[in-house]
């Protein structure tokens, strides 16, 4: 449950701030590679080690207070 | 930086629709107003606050539910604020945040407001984690200034600020800085002043070294180079005095005196001082007899600007007229409250209408500057701190000299 909750929080954050984008058609679930790519973009923009994996630093960064607008750091979603 | 849009005009209005509960109204308003000044000081933008009716940019606070905003907030932490891009103009803050000013506690309203105003002007999030436009709040910074990426972004949208684009109606603090390597900047909250004066339009100025700042009830304003406001004026002044009677502002340094009307130097100045001693300590205008007083050491000169003054019986002892005032004051001024103020070192004295030092003085000048680091807001005027923002502006060289006071 905890693992699932973390995944949902992660996807929610990446989606809310423009690192992930819901596909216009097809299933709602994200492919793992999309999530990994989005997480890498977030880690790079946050000057964290870019692993594509959730770690403590990434989690801590995602908890920091911030602006509600999206980030333009995932080139694919920005396009 | 990322550009998201742009206003087709450069003179914008803004309106503060409501305020947070964790800051006094004056404190919160000062923080929000300052947020605009960061941008108008680096780009040819002007912002005029309106108290009613329509405004281009509208700032408001709402919580989880808002009839006016589809983006709800989420309580303390997480999302702090959001804004629409041009030309929509809405800027919203999460009212459930602990909004503060001048302290590391809570979330600094001024910095977040400056970030959101950046969005309202068309900037997206910056890749530089230390930039104002970075998406994540980097915490309170006492000497906050815009990051070069922020400046590059706003100037990509609206161009650079140049003297020609200045508008007389503009607030002084929006004057244009050009970033050079700053000489050491004084800390307004614990510097011995060179001079102070109640200037035109009731603004209180404090001078130290190459810099000048305004003193308001919410603390020191941003630092500017003296020459950025009064072109041609050097730093490290001896004295400064504004006379409402003549509209003249006089600055004294060494054996020279500069005269300005507003911020324009009068023709023929600077001139040489020759009937009072050089290297004055302080000067003030006393509205009771409409004369200017010049101070040096233990003596003073009383000068009638509009008549030829007989200085043969001067200097007279300071103590003969100003009871309880120390010799060699570093600055002096009459203020809006009808009292006279002298400062020396880190102390200041207040004198009543009878020019007698009031009980309980001297006090520490940080009190007068409304500086009190590290505390949450208290009521305005008992002192809190808005550490200065730091803008640095080009310097200019002094011009030729004639003689004065004849």
């Amino acid at each position: 449950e905890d693992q699932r909750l973390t995944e949902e929080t992660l996807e929610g954050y990446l989606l809310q701030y423009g690192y992930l984008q819901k596909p216009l058609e097809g299933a709602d679930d994200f492919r793992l590679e999309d999530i990994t790519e989005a997480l890498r973009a977030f880690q790079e923009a946050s000057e964290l080690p870019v692993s594509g994996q959730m770690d403590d630093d990434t989690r801590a960064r995602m908890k920091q207070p911030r602006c509600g607008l999206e980030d333009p750091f995932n080139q694919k979603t920005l396009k | 930086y990322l550009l998201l849009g742009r206003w087709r005009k450069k003179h914008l209005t803004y309106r503060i629709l409501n305020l947070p509960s964790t800051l006094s109204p004056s404190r919160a308003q000062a923080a929000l107003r300052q947020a605009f000044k960061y941008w108008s000081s680096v780009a040819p933008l002007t912002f005029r606050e309106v108290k009613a009716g329509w405004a281009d940019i509208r700032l408001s606070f709402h919580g989880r539910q808002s009839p006016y905003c589809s983006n709800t907030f989420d309580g303390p932490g997480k999302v702090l604020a959001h804004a629409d891009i041009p030309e929509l103009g809405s800027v919203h803050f999460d009212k459930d945040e602990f909004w503060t000013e001048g302290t590391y506690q809570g979330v600094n309203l001024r910095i977040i407001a400056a970030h959101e105003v950046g969005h309202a002007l068309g900037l997206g999030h910056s890749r530089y984690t230390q930039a104002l436009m970075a998406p994540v709040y980097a915490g309170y910074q006492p000497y906050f200034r815009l990051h070069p990426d922020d400046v590059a972004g706003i100037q990509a949208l609206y161009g650079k600020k140049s003297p020609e684009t200045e508008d007389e109606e503009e607030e002084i603090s929006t004057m244009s800085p050009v970033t050079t390597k700053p000489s050491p900047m004084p800390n307004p909250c614990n510097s011995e002043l060179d001079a102070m004066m109640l200037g035109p339009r009731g603004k209180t100025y404090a001078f130290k070294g190459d810099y000048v700042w305004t003193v308001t009830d919410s603390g020191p304003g941003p630092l500017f180079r003296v020459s950025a406001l009064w072109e041609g004026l050097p730093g490290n002044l001896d004295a400064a005095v504004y006379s409402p009677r003549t509209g003249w502002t006089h600055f004294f340094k060494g054996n020279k005196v500069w005269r300005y009307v507003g911020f324009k130097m009068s023709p023929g100045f600077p001139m040489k001082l020759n009937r009072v001693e050089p290297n004055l300590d302080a000067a003030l205008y006393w509205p009771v007899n409409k004369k200017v007083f010049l101070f040096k050491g233990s003596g003073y000169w009383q000068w009638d600007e509009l008549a030829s003054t007989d200085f043969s019986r001067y200097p007279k002892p300071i103590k003969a007229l100003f009871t309880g005032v120390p010799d060699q004051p570093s600055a002096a001024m009459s203020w809006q409250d009808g009292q006279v103020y002298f400062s020396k070192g880190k102390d200041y004295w207040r004198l009543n209408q009878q020019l007698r030092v009031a009980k309980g003085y001297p006090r520490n000048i940080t009190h007068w500057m409304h500086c009190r680091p590290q505390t949450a807001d208290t009521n305005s005027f008992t002192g809190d701190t808005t550490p200065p923002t730091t803008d640095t502006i080009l310097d200019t060289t002094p011009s030729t000299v004639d003689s004065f006071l004849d």
Side-chain angles (χ1 to χ4, degrees), chain B residues 236-256:
Chain B
N236 301 298
L237 296 169
D238 295 333
V241 57
Y242 167 68
S243 159
R245 176 182 179 201
T246 59
W248 293 336
T249 303
H250 286 100
F251 297 100
F252 300 87
K253 180 176 181 180
N255 64 354
K256 292 179 204 142

Side-chain angles (χ1 to χ4, degrees), chain A residues 13 16-17 19 41 44-47 61 63-73 75 78, chain B residues 2 4 74 77-83 85 107 115-116 119 125-129 135-137:
Chain A
Y13 186 97
Q16 179 175 359
Y17 298 113
Y19 293 91
E44 188 184 355
S46 306
E47 296 172 359
R61 182 71 171 173
K63 282 185 179 155
Q64 282 187 306
R66 58 160 292 157
C67 171
L69 267 64
E70 291 186 353
D71 300 340
F73 303 143
Q75 289 307 315
L78 179 62
Chain B
L2 175 69
L4 300 177
D74 48 19
K78 298 188 280 291
V79 177
L80 301 173
H82 51 229
I85 56 174
V107 178
H115 174 102
E116 298 306 326
H119 285 319
H125 282 153
S126 165
R127 270 211 85 101
Y128 291 92
T129 54
V136 172
Y137 175 48

Side-chain angles (χ1 to χ4, degrees), chain B residues 14 30 33-43 45 47 161 166-177 201 203 205 212-214 216 220-224 228-229 263 389-391 393:
Chain B
Y14 70 93
R33 285 175 191 144
Q34 178 61 40
F36 285 90
K37 286 178 183 166
Y38 291 120
W39 298 111
S40 56
S41 63
V42 294
L45 295 166
F47 301 104
K161 189 159 181 105
E166 281 166 45
D167 170 347
E168 276 312 311
E169 295 305 311
E170 268 189 82
E171 282 293 317
I172 291 176
S173 54
T174 55
M175 300 288 276
S176 136
R201 300 193 294 174
K203 280 184 182 279
Y205 296 91
V212 58
W213 61 91
T214 54
T216 69
L223 271 69
F224 289 90
L229 302 186
F263 294 101
T389 56
T390 47
D391 295 308
I393 299 161

Side-chain angles (χ1 to χ4, degrees), chain B residues 13-55:
Chain B
T13 56
Y14 70 93
R15 182 175 170 192
I16 301 170
L17 296 170
N18 60 351
L19 291 167
S21 57
T22 58
L23 270 174
S24 69
S26 64
R27 196 100 181 118
Q29 282 168 334
L32 294 172
R33 285 175 191 144
Q34 178 61 40
F36 285 90
K37 286 178 183 166
Y38 291 120
W39 298 111
S40 56
S41 63
V42 294
L45 295 166
T46 66
F47 301 104
R48 185 166 58 83
E49 184 176 4
V50 295
K51 299 287 185 185
W54 176 254

Side-chain angles (χ1 to χ4, degrees), chain B residues 23 27 98-108 110 137 139-141 372-377 384-385 387:
Chain B
L23 270 174
R27 196 100 181 118
F98 179 41
W99 296 107
T100 58
E101 175 61 297
T103 173
Y104 289 97
Q105 293 167 337
V107 178
N108 185 268
R110 176 171 34 103
Y137 175 48
Y140 170 67
Q141 300 164 51
R372 195 185 314 165
Q374 307 296 335
T375 54
D377 182 58
D384 197 340
T385 190

